[in-house]
Amino acid sequence: MIETLEDVLTDCRNRLIRAPRDRKAPMHTPVIVTGDVDARVMVLREFDSTAWRLRFHTDSRAPKAQVIDADPRVAVLFYDKGAKVQIRARGVGEILRDGEQVDRAWAASTNFARRCYLGEGPGAGSDSPTSGLPPEFEGVEPDDAQLIPARENFALLRITLTAFDWLYLAHTGHVRAQFARGDAERADWQGRWVSP
């Protein structure tokens, strides 16, 4: 039962810890909104519960990568229909193309998942329906040598949360809380109850 702001913070933390670990978790695939007001569903790959940082995989050639490079404001929408909990979060996004964290994420991916970075970049035009993959990799898992050119297209989207709005939908009356922190790296969350 949620009775305190600390309960809300714990609920959010626990949901986000579970989301990348469980493909069936309702918050595994949140909606990400970039500064150009474009939205897309992405798979949450990791949640750092100390830094309140989310990690996603992306293609460095994707339009969202350039948008985030220019304007790091990002919003994230999570929803658990069964629990009737919505979390709307805001944060600072960054695209990581190189480094140990990117290399680790690449190494942890399957070859089948890595093949997504072999084809044309996201948004490339086509005269017919296409996956964008080279024909030889349609439904086929490439080997490590075939994936070498894909690595340069692989990147991480990392979002450090700076504010979030938690909403519990209940027939007896909705309950809502908001949290913010000034310094995304060190500050503690400051929460308050608000009217839904």
Side-chain angles (χ1 to χ4, degrees):
M1 175 130 199
I2 303 291
E3 295 182 0
T4 67
L5 289 169
E6 189 59 39
D7 291 340
V8 174
L9 203 56
T10 299
D11 181 68
C12 290
R13 181 183 293 112
N14 289 342
R15 289 176 188 284
L16 295 179
I17 287 170
R18 178 179 171 221
R21 297 176 182 174
D22 180 359
R23 299 177 87 167
K24 295 182 180 177
M27 296 187 176
H28 182 65
T29 52
V31 175
I32 308 300
V33 183
T34 48
D36 59 348
V37 198
D38 196 6
R40 78 278 294 144
V41 173
M42 293 183 75
V43 175
L44 179 59
R45 304 293 181 166
E46 182 180 66
F47 172 62
D48 176 340
S49 62
T50 302
W52 285 78
R53 188 173 291 135
L54 311 170
R55 179 175 59 82
F56 303 87
H57 295 176
T58 192
D59 193 308
S60 63
R61 302 166 296 173
K64 71 178 166 288
Q66 285 69 47
V67 170
I68 292 167
D69 284 340
D71 180 356
R73 294 174 303 154
V74 179
V76 186
L77 175 63
F78 297 93
Y79 185 61
D80 182 334
K81 181 179 179 180
K84 300 179 186 170
V85 171
Q86 171 184 273
I87 301 171
R88 292 183 303 148
R90 290 187 308 276
V92 178
E94 58 185 317
I95 302 295
L96 304 176
R97 293 169 176 86
D98 299 300
E100 182 181 330
Q101 189 177 18
V102 182
D103 292 339
R104 248 190 346 263
W106 177 256
S109 298
T110 66
N111 282 5
F112 205 72
R114 291 177 192 166
R115 76 188 175 116
C116 297
Y117 303 96
L118 280 171
E120 302 234 12
S126 174
D127 292 333
S128 60
T130 180
S131 68
L133 292 172
E136 64 270 25
F137 298 120
E138 288 284 349
V140 175
E141 184 172 355
D143 62 34
D144 291 343
Q146 292 169 313
L147 285 165
I148 291 171
R151 171 56 188 89
E152 72 183 57
N153 300 323
F154 177 76
L156 302 181
L157 165 56
R158 192 167 70 175
I159 302 170
T160 302
L161 300 181
T162 57
F164 67 89
D165 186 302
W166 176 91
L167 175 66
Y168 171 62
L169 303 168
H171 70 279
T172 56
H174 307 324
V175 180
R176 183 177 172 202
Q178 294 177 332
F179 290 82
R181 58 188 183 159
D183 181 340
E185 295 296 323
R186 291 181 292 278
D188 291 333
W189 290 106
Q190 301 301 311
R192 66 185 187 136
W193 296 107
V194 295
S195 173

